[in-house]
Amino acid sequence: MFLVRSNARHVFSPLFCRPSSPLTRSRTYASEDRSSTELQTSSPLAVQLAATGLWTPSSSSLKDNDETSQPSAKAKGKAKGKAKDKSKAKSKVKGDKTRINIVSEKLCDDIFSYVGSSLDRHKGCDILDIYPGAGLWSRKLHDYLQPRSHILMEPDAEFYKPFLKPLLDQPNTTLVPASGLIWRELSSILTPEYLPHQVPADATQLAQRNDTLLVTANVAFHPKKRFLTFESIAQLVMYQFIEAIRAGKIFQRYGLVRMLIWARHDDKYSLLPKVMQKHKKQAIETELSCEWVREVCGREGPDSVWFVRDNAIDSHSALATWRRMQAAKSKIPKGRASEGLKQARLTRLRKPKVPGTTLPVFKRPYREALDELEATHREQIFTVGSAKYKTMQKYRWRAAWEERKHRQMLDLISELDAITALYKSGEASPEEIKRLGAEWEAKLQDNPNGFIEEFVTYKDNLHYYRQDPPILHWDRRPYDLMTVQPDEFFPNVQCSLLDIQPKAVHPLLRQTGPKSNRAADCFELILTSMMGHSTLPVGQTLDALMPGAADYILPRWKSAKDVDRGGVAVNTRHSELTPRMLNAPQWEELLELWMEWPFRPEFHELVGRTHDELGDQESLLTTD
């Protein structure tokens, strides 16, 4: 099977081949020019990197460009000598100028003081280090873990060798001039020659942690590198790292290997979304394959200004995180606390607002503008009819209109919660629950479609957060992220450090290929198809896969009816389960029932039914 547009699992199967340089350049659509604000140097390492001239064009080359734009006879006479000089200059600085390097020693030190205890189980391990770059993070990690071997895979080895020399002087440290992001080259070092202590795991060991191997990688690029239909090569690589867990491929052949990945802040959302609207197929596969995905440090802020959830959920999540940190006696380094954690500290003694019981509030840009206008108006009264006064009035009307709308949303969710509580108590018959649900649905449908869509999004975000544990890894975090500054990286683009711990996957998810029952291959098609219609009822999406699937699966799907396991009590059009509402255990149970179904289609039949649909869907890595 080879579905380039919708199935990244097979884009580089069986090997992730290196694209040629011209192809890579042609697919990097963002400009490679950088403003001076992105090249500020605030550390010795940043100064050294800037001095190489790789990230900025030299003044002589700019001068040459000006002179050659309208060549004179004299210039033509010197062209040969200049060409030779330019060729010589170019040979001195050769490397990938889209790479982002960690340049702050304090940031690295703060990371180990904050989460170092969780890394202690890896002391004396083997480290596989992909794209170490200038090597500051690699050196700090090496000093902390004291590994028995440290392999650095660096495609720009000649350029970074002077920076890596202090680390290369350490015993059992090897620099391999190859790209660890190319599976063929990565596989070439996954051998006894480089990793004599690692042995490919058998079926039982694949489900066990391997703390004797740790993988770290820096896939942060600026500007982003696009490849084919993928917005970012970094997102593609991280997806394939996750996919390797399920398949037991590349370094995951040695067991469940932990990964520490540096990435741009906007490349992490496909793995670690903060709102339901960003919870796409890749996030679901991550939850099926990983015990945790944690953001150790990164840029503070929402995933998107367009996709938000009730402020009460964010506040409650931050407070729950603060309490977990207090229980674990975890202290965030000075100056690294996020605004959310600071607010949690201030409100910890007050009764917290429970999401779904208070008027929902959503962060919108106009609210900040209104607050500023109101503050200015109190000090300096605006003239009635002035532009500022009109703008303030417009925002006031909008705020009043939204408050009425949000009050109606709270009434609707309260009524639905009351029906659910009645269902759980067992005091009402199924017919009574059905009648109450129909009345609730009729009341909801009396509203405009725009309101209904906004309410359903609000309801589904509550559904995510109210589960135990919450669906999103973000809401399960044992500690809050440390905030970073742009000048701690060079170029100055804030990045995140992701801590990814694989877990044992469901046995059916390892059934792939012609010598198996193809359960994992079927699940790939089922998941892609259903998430392509994520707001439709699950029964409808199942029957779209194969008529009769819903009739067999829904009555037997226990977790879909258990409200304590992510199920719902009311099955009306806008309250029943949809694919985007399902948690990882529910997806696993769905797969079990699919494989038990006597009339399920053969794999090749399922491919035929979904092929046209899959080809028309967006890339699974789309995060809009």
Side-chain angles (χ1 to χ4, degrees), residues 480-551:
D480 201 36
L481 63 84
M482 299 192 315
T483 59
V484 299
Q485 299 302 318
D487 62 1
E488 293 181 305
F489 305 89
F490 189 86
N492 311 141
V493 178
Q494 289 164 303
C495 297
S496 299
L497 176 62
L498 300 181
D499 179 2
I500 303 172
Q501 175 60 61
K503 70 176 181 181
V505 300
H506 192 287
L508 287 176
L509 292 176
R510 292 197 184 276
Q511 295 292 321
T512 182
K515 295 182 179 180
S516 69
N517 63 12
R518 307 302 291 259
D521 298 321
C522 289
F523 181 74
E524 184 77 22
L525 296 173
I526 293 168
L527 180 61
T528 302
S529 176
M530 292 181 66
M531 286 304 293
H533 308 285
S534 62
T535 59
L536 295 179
V538 290
Q540 189 173 335
T541 58
L542 283 170
D543 278 339
L545 283 164
M546 180 59 69
D551 290 339

Coordinates of all heavy atoms in Angstrom, one line a residue, residues 480-551:
D480 N 4.9 21.6 34.9 CA 4.7 22.6 33.9 C 6.0 22.8 33.1 O 7.1 22.6 33.6 CB 4.2 23.9 34.5 CG 3.5 24.8 33.5 OD1 2.7 24.2 32.7 OD2 3.6 26.0 33.6
L481 N 5.8 23.3 31.9 CA 7.0 23.6 31.0 C 7.8 24.8 31.6 O 7.2 25.7 32.2 CB 6.6 23.9 29.6 CG 5.7 25.1 29.3 CD1 6.5 26.4 29.1 CD2 4.9 24.9 28.0
M482 N 9.1 24.8 31.4 CA 9.9 25.9 31.7 C 9.9 26.8 30.4 O 10.0 26.4 29.3 CB 11.4 25.5 31.9 CG 11.6 24.6 33.0 SD 13.4 24.4 33.4 CE 14.1 24.3 31.8
T483 N 9.7 28.1 30.7 CA 9.7 29.0 29.5 C 11.1 29.3 29.0 O 12.0 29.3 29.8 CB 9.0 30.4 29.9 OG1 9.7 31.0 31.0 CG2 7.6 30.1 30.3
V484 N 11.2 29.5 27.8 CA 12.5 29.8 27.1 C 12.5 31.2 26.5 O 11.4 31.7 26.2 CB 12.9 28.7 26.1 CG1 13.0 27.4 26.7 CG2 11.9 28.7 24.9
Q485 N 13.7 31.7 26.2 CA 13.8 33.0 25.5 C 14.4 32.8 24.1 O 15.2 31.8 23.9 CB 14.7 33.9 26.3 CG 14.2 34.3 27.7 CD 12.8 34.9 27.7 OE1 12.5 35.8 26.8 NE2 11.9 34.5 28.6
P486 N 14.0 33.6 23.2 CA 14.6 33.4 21.8 C 16.1 33.4 21.8 O 16.7 32.6 21.0 CB 14.0 34.6 21.1 CG 12.8 35.0 21.8 CD 13.1 34.7 23.2
D487 N 16.8 34.3 22.6 CA 18.2 34.3 22.4 C 18.9 33.2 23.1 O 20.2 33.1 23.1 CB 18.8 35.7 23.0 CG 18.5 35.8 24.5 OD1 17.9 34.9 25.1 OD2 18.8 36.9 25.1
E488 N 18.2 32.2 23.6 CA 18.8 31.0 24.1 C 19.0 30.0 22.9 O 19.5 28.9 23.2 CB 18.0 30.3 25.2 CG 17.9 31.2 26.4 CD 17.1 30.6 27.6 OE1 15.9 30.3 27.4 OE2 17.7 30.5 28.7
F489 N 18.6 30.4 21.7 CA 18.8 29.6 20.5 C 19.5 30.5 19.5 O 19.3 31.7 19.5 CB 17.5 29.0 20.1 CG 16.7 28.3 21.1 CD1 15.9 28.9 22.0 CD2 16.9 26.9 21.2 CE1 15.2 28.2 22.9 CE2 16.3 26.2 22.2 CZ 15.4 26.8 23.1
F490 N 20.1 29.8 18.5 CA 20.7 30.6 17.4 C 20.5 29.8 16.1 O 20.9 28.6 16.0 CB 22.2 30.8 17.6 CG 22.8 31.8 16.6 CD1 22.7 33.1 16.8 CD2 23.3 31.3 15.4 CE1 23.3 34.0 15.9 CE2 23.9 32.1 14.5 CZ 23.8 33.5 14.7
P491 N 19.8 30.4 15.2 CA 19.1 31.7 15.2 C 18.0 31.8 16.3 O 17.6 30.7 16.9 CB 18.4 31.8 13.8 CG 19.2 30.9 13.0 CD 19.7 29.8 13.9
N492 N 17.6 33.0 16.6 CA 16.7 33.2 17.8 C 15.3 32.8 17.6 O 14.4 33.6 17.4 CB 16.8 34.7 18.2 CG 18.2 35.2 18.3 OD1 18.5 36.3 17.9 ND2 19.1 34.4 18.8
V493 N 15.0 31.5 17.5 CA 13.7 31.0 17.3 C 13.4 30.0 18.5 O 14.2 29.0 18.7 CB 13.6 30.2 16.0 CG1 12.2 29.6 15.9 CG2 13.9 31.1 14.8
Q494 N 12.4 30.3 19.3 CA 12.1 29.5 20.5 C 11.8 28.0 20.1 O 11.0 27.8 19.1 CB 11.0 30.1 21.3 CG 11.3 31.4 22.0 CD 10.1 32.1 22.4 OE1 9.3 32.5 21.6 NE2 10.0 32.4 23.7
C495 N 12.4 27.1 20.8 CA 12.2 25.7 20.5 C 11.7 25.0 21.8 O 11.8 25.5 22.9 CB 13.5 25.0 20.1 SG 14.1 25.7 18.5
S496 N 11.2 23.8 21.6 CA 10.7 23.0 22.7 C 11.5 21.7 22.8 O 11.9 21.2 21.8 CB 9.2 22.6 22.5 OG 8.4 23.8 22.4
L497 N 11.6 21.2 24.1 CA 12.2 19.9 24.3 C 11.1 19.0 24.7 O 10.4 19.2 25.7 CB 13.3 20.0 25.4 CG 13.9 18.6 25.8 CD1 14.6 18.0 24.6 CD2 14.9 18.8 27.0
L498 N 10.9 17.9 23.9 CA 9.9 17.0 24.1 C 10.5 15.7 24.7 O 11.5 15.2 24.2 CB 9.1 16.6 22.8 CG 8.4 17.8 22.1 CD1 7.7 17.2 20.9 CD2 7.4 18.4 23.1
D499 N 9.9 15.2 25.8 CA 10.3 14.0 26.4 C 9.3 12.9 26.1 O 8.1 13.0 26.5 CB 10.4 14.2 28.0 CG 10.8 12.9 28.7 OD1 11.0 11.9 28.1 OD2 10.8 13.0 30.0
I500 N 9.7 11.9 25.3 CA 8.7 10.9 24.8 C 9.1 9.5 25.3 O 10.2 9.0 25.1 CB 8.7 10.9 23.3 CG1 8.4 12.3 22.7 CG2 7.8 9.8 22.7 CD1 8.6 12.4 21.2
Q501 N 8.2 8.9 26.1 CA 8.4 7.6 26.7 C 7.5 6.6 26.0 O 6.2 6.7 26.2 CB 8.2 7.6 28.2 CG 8.3 6.2 28.8 CD 9.7 5.5 28.6 OE1 10.7 6.0 29.0 NE2 9.7 4.4 27.9
P502 N 8.0 5.7 25.2 CA 7.1 4.7 24.6 C 6.5 3.7 25.6 O 7.0 3.6 26.7 CB 8.0 3.9 23.6 CG 9.2 4.9 23.4 CD 9.3 5.6 24.7
K503 N 5.4 3.1 25.2 CA 4.8 2.1 26.1 C 4.4 0.9 25.2 O 4.5 0.9 24.0 CB 3.5 2.6 26.7 CG 2.3 2.8 25.7 CD 1.1 3.3 26.5 CE -0.1 3.5 25.5 NZ -1.3 3.9 26.1
A504 N 4.1 -0.2 25.9 CA 3.7 -1.4 25.2 C 2.4 -1.2 24.4 O 1.4 -0.8 25.1 CB 3.5 -2.6 26.2
V505 N 2.4 -1.4 23.2 CA 1.2 -1.2 22.4 C 0.3 -2.4 22.4 O 0.7 -3.5 22.7 CB 1.5 -0.8 20.9 CG1 2.4 0.4 20.9 CG2 2.2 -2.0 20.2
H506 N -1.0 -2.2 22.0 CA -1.9 -3.3 22.0 C -1.4 -4.4 21.0 O -0.9 -4.0 19.9 CB -3.3 -2.8 21.5 CG -4.4 -3.7 21.7 ND1 -4.6 -4.8 20.9 CD2 -5.5 -3.8 22.6 CE1 -5.7 -5.5 21.2 NE2 -6.2 -4.9 22.3
P507 N -1.5 -5.7 21.3 CA -1.0 -6.7 20.4 C -1.5 -6.6 19.0 O -0.8 -6.9 18.1 CB -1.4 -8.0 21.1 CG -1.6 -7.7 22.6 CD -2.1 -6.2 22.6
L508 N -2.8 -6.2 18.8 CA -3.3 -6.2 17.5 C -2.6 -5.1 16.6 O -2.6 -5.2 15.4 CB -4.8 -5.9 17.5 CG -5.7 -7.1 17.9 CD1 -7.1 -6.6 18.0 CD2 -5.6 -8.2 17.0
L509 N -2.1 -4.1 17.3 CA -1.4 -3.0 16.6 C -0.1 -3.4 16.1 O 0.6 -2.6 15.4 CB -1.3 -1.7 17.5 CG -2.7 -1.1 17.8 CD1 -2.5 0.1 18.8 CD2 -3.4 -0.6 16.6
R510 N 0.4 -4.5 16.4 CA 1.7 -5.0 15.9 C 1.4 -6.0 14.7 O 2.4 -6.5 14.1 CB 2.5 -5.7 17.0 CG 3.0 -4.8 18.1 CD 4.1 -5.5 18.9 NE 4.6 -4.7 20.0 CZ 5.5 -3.7 19.8 NH1 6.0 -3.4 18.7 NH2 5.9 -3.0 20.9
Q511 N 0.2 -6.3 14.4 CA -0.2 -7.2 13.4 C -0.2 -6.5 12.0 O -1.2 -5.9 11.6 CB -1.5 -7.9 13.6 CG -1.5 -8.7 14.9 CD -0.7 -10.0 14.7 OE1 -0.7 -10.6 13.6 NE2 0.0 -10.4 15.7
T512 N 1.0 -6.5 11.4 CA 1.1 -5.8 10.1 C 1.8 -6.6 9.1 O 2.7 -7.4 9.5 CB 1.8 -4.4 10.3 OG1 1.9 -3.7 9.1 CG2 3.2 -4.6 10.8
G513 N 1.5 -6.4 7.8 CA 2.1 -7.2 6.8 C 1.4 -8.4 6.4 O 0.5 -8.9 7.1
P514 N 1.8 -9.0 5.2 CA 1.1 -10.2 4.7 C 1.1 -11.5 5.5 O 0.3 -12.3 5.3 CB 1.7 -10.4 3.3 CG 3.1 -9.7 3.5 CD 2.9 -8.6 4.4
K515 N 2.1 -11.6 6.4 CA 2.2 -12.8 7.3 C 1.4 -12.6 8.6 O 1.6 -13.4 9.5 CB 3.6 -13.1 7.5 CG 4.4 -13.4 6.3 CD 5.9 -13.8 6.6 CE 6.7 -14.2 5.4 NZ 8.1 -14.5 5.7
S516 N 0.6 -11.6 8.7 CA -0.2 -11.4 9.9 C -1.7 -11.4 9.5 O -2.1 -11.5 8.4 CB 0.2 -10.1 10.5 OG -0.2 -9.0 9.7
N517 N -2.5 -11.1 10.5 CA -4.0 -10.9 10.2 C -4.3 -9.5 9.8 O -5.5 -9.2 9.6 CB -4.8 -11.3 11.5 CG -4.5 -10.4 12.7 OD1 -3.9 -9.3 12.5 ND2 -5.0 -10.7 13.8
R518 N -3.3 -8.7 9.6 CA -3.4 -7.3 9.0 C -4.2 -6.4 9.9 O -4.8 -5.4 9.5 CB -4.0 -7.3 7.6 CG -3.3 -8.2 6.6 CD -1.9 -7.9 6.4 NE -1.6 -6.7 5.8 CZ -1.3 -6.6 4.5 NH1 -1.2 -7.6 3.7 NH2 -1.0 -5.4 4.0
A519 N -4.4 -6.7 11.2 CA -5.2 -5.8 12.1 C -4.6 -4.4 12.2 O -5.4 -3.4 12.1 CB -5.2 -6.4 13.5
A520 N -3.3 -4.2 12.3 CA -2.7 -2.9 12.3 C -3.0 -2.1 11.0 O -3.2 -0.9 11.0 CB -1.3 -3.0 12.7
D521 N -2.8 -2.8 9.9 CA -3.1 -2.2 8.6 C -4.5 -1.8 8.4 O -4.8 -0.7 7.9 CB -2.7 -3.2 7.5 CG -1.2 -3.6 7.5 OD1 -0.4 -2.7 7.8 OD2 -0.9 -4.7 7.3
C522 N -5.4 -2.6 8.9 CA -6.9 -2.3 8.9 C -7.1 -1.1 9.8 O -7.9 -0.2 9.4 CB -7.7 -3.5 9.3 SG -7.8 -4.8 8.2
F523 N -6.5 -1.1 10.9 CA -6.7 0.1 11.9 C -6.2 1.4 11.3 O -6.8 2.4 11.4 CB -6.0 -0.2 13.2 CG -6.2 0.9 14.2 CD1 -7.4 1.0 14.8 CD2 -5.1 1.8 14.5 CE1 -7.6 2.1 15.8 CE2 -5.3 2.8 15.4 CZ -6.5 3.0 16.0
E524 N -5.1 1.3 10.5 CA -4.6 2.5 9.9 C -5.7 3.1 8.9 O -5.9 4.3 8.9 CB -3.4 2.2 9.1 CG -2.7 3.4 8.4 CD -1.9 4.2 9.4 OE1 -1.5 3.7 10.4 OE2 -1.6 5.4 9.0
L525 N -6.3 2.2 8.2 CA -7.4 2.7 7.3 C -8.6 3.2 8.0 O -9.2 4.2 7.7 CB -7.7 1.6 6.3 CG -6.6 1.1 5.4 CD1 -7.1 -0.1 4.6 CD2 -6.2 2.2 4.4
I526 N -9.0 2.4 9.1 CA -10.2 2.8 9.9 C -10.0 4.2 10.5 O -10.9 5.0 10.4 CB -10.5 1.7 10.9 CG1 -10.9 0.4 10.3 CG2 -11.5 2.2 11.9 CD1 -10.9 -0.8 11.2
L527 N -8.8 4.3 11.1 CA -8.6 5.6 11.8 C -8.5 6.8 10.9 O -9.1 7.8 11.2 CB -7.2 5.5 12.6 CG -6.8 6.7 13.4 CD1 -7.8 7.1 14.5 CD2 -5.4 6.5 14.0
T528 N -7.9 6.6 9.8 CA -7.8 7.7 8.8 C -9.1 8.0 8.2 O -9.5 9.2 8.1 CB -6.8 7.3 7.6 OG1 -5.5 7.0 8.2 CG2 -6.7 8.5 6.7
S529 N -9.9 7.0 7.9 CA -11.3 7.3 7.4 C -12.2 8.0 8.4 O -12.8 9.0 8.1 CB -11.9 6.0 6.9 OG -13.2 6.2 6.5
M530 N -12.2 7.4 9.6 CA -13.1 8.0 10.6 C -12.7 9.4 11.0 O -13.6 10.3 11.2 CB -13.2 7.0 11.8 CG -13.9 5.7 11.5 SD -14.0 4.6 12.9 CE -15.1 5.5 14.0
M531 N -11.4 9.6 11.2 CA -11.0 11.0 11.6 C -11.1 12.0 10.4 O -11.1 13.2 10.6 CB -9.5 10.9 12.1 CG -9.4 10.3 13.4 SD -10.4 11.2 14.7 CE -9.6 12.8 14.8
G532 N -11.3 11.5 9.2 CA -11.6 12.3 8.1 C -13.0 12.9 8.2 O -13.3 13.9 7.5
H533 N -13.8 12.3 9.0 CA -15.2 12.7 9.3 C -15.4 12.8 10.8 O -16.3 12.2 11.3 CB -16.2 11.8 8.6 CG -15.9 11.5 7.1 ND1 -16.2 12.5 6.2 CD2 -15.3 10.5 6.5 CE1 -15.8 12.0 5.0 NE2 -15.3 10.8 5.2
S534 N -14.6 13.5 11.4 CA -14.4 13.4 12.9 C -15.6 13.9 13.7 O -15.8 13.6 14.9 CB -13.2 14.1 13.4 OG -13.2 15.5 13.1
T535 N -16.5 14.7 13.0 CA -17.6 15.3 13.8 C -18.9 14.5 13.5 O -20.0 14.9 14.0 CB -17.8 16.8 13.4 OG1 -18.0 16.9 12.0 CG2 -16.6 17.5 13.9
L536 N -18.9 13.5 12.7 CA -20.1 12.7 12.4 C -20.2 11.6 13.5 O -19.3 11.2 14.1 CB -20.0 12.0 11.0 CG -20.0 13.0 9.8 CD1 -19.9 12.2 8.5 CD2 -21.3 13.8 9.8
P537 N -21.4 11.1 13.7 CA -21.6 10.0 14.7 C -20.7 8.8 14.3 O -20.6 8.5 13.1 CB -23.1 9.7 14.6 CG -23.7 10.9 14.1 CD -22.7 11.5 13.1
V538 N -20.2 8.1 15.3 CA -19.3 7.0 15.0 C -20.1 5.9 14.2 O -19.5 5.2 13.4 CB -18.7 6.4 16.3 CG1 -17.7 7.3 16.9 CG2 -19.8 6.0 17.3
G539 N -21.3 5.7 14.5 CA -22.1 4.7 13.8 C -22.1 5.0 12.3 O -22.0 4.1 11.4
Q540 N -22.3 6.3 11.9 CA -22.3 6.7 10.5 C -21.0 6.4 9.9 O -20.9 6.0 8.7 CB -22.7 8.1 10.4 CG -23.0 8.6 9.0 CD -23.6 10.0 9.0 OE1 -24.2 10.5 10.0 NE2 -23.4 10.7 7.9
T541 N -19.9 6.8 10.6 CA -18.5 6.6 10.0 C -18.2 5.1 9.9 O -17.5 4.7 9.0 CB -17.5 7.3 10.8 OG1 -17.5 6.8 12.2 CG2 -17.7 8.8 10.9
L542 N -18.7 4.3 10.8 CA -18.4 2.8 10.7 C -19.1 2.2 9.5 O -18.6 1.4 8.8 CB -18.9 2.1 12.0 CG -17.9 2.3 13.2 CD1 -18.6 1.7 14.5 CD2 -16.6 1.5 13.0
D543 N -20.4 2.6 9.3 CA -21.1 2.1 8.2 C -20.6 2.6 6.8 O -20.8 2.0 5.8 CB -22.6 2.4 8.3 CG -23.4 1.5 9.2 OD1 -22.9 0.4 9.4 OD2 -24.4 1.8 9.7
A544 N -19.9 3.8 6.9 CA -19.3 4.3 5.7 C -18.1 3.4 5.3 O -17.8 3.2 4.1 CB -18.8 5.7 5.8
L545 N -17.5 2.8 6.3 CA -16.4 1.8 6.0 C -16.9 0.5 5.4 O -16.4 0.0 4.4 CB -15.6 1.5 7.3 CG -14.6 2.5 7.8 CD1 -14.3 2.3 9.2 CD2 -13.4 2.6 6.9
M546 N -18.0 0.0 6.0 CA -18.6 -1.2 5.5 C -20.0 -1.3 6.1 O -20.2 -1.3 7.4 CB -17.8 -2.5 6.0 CG -18.4 -3.8 5.5 SD -18.6 -3.9 3.7 CE -16.9 -4.0 3.2
P547 N -21.1 -1.4 5.3 CA -22.4 -1.5 5.8 C -22.5 -2.7 6.8 O -22.0 -3.8 6.5 CB -23.3 -1.7 4.6 CG -22.5 -1.0 3.5 CD -21.0 -1.3 3.8
G548 N -23.2 -2.4 7.9 CA -23.4 -3.5 8.9 C -22.4 -3.4 10.0 O -22.6 -4.1 11.1
A549 N -21.3 -2.6 9.9 CA -20.3 -2.6 10.9 C -20.8 -2.0 12.2 O -20.6 -2.5 13.3 CB -19.1 -1.7 10.4
A550 N -21.7 -0.9 12.1 CA -22.2 -0.3 13.3 C -23.2 -1.2 14.0 O -23.2 -1.3 15.3 CB -22.9 1.0 12.9
D551 N -24.0 -2.0 13.3 CA -24.9 -2.9 13.9 C -24.2 -4.0 14.7 O -24.8 -4.4 15.8 CB -25.8 -3.6 12.8 CG -26.7 -2.7 12.1 OD1 -27.0 -1.6 12.7 OD2 -27.1 -3.0 11.0

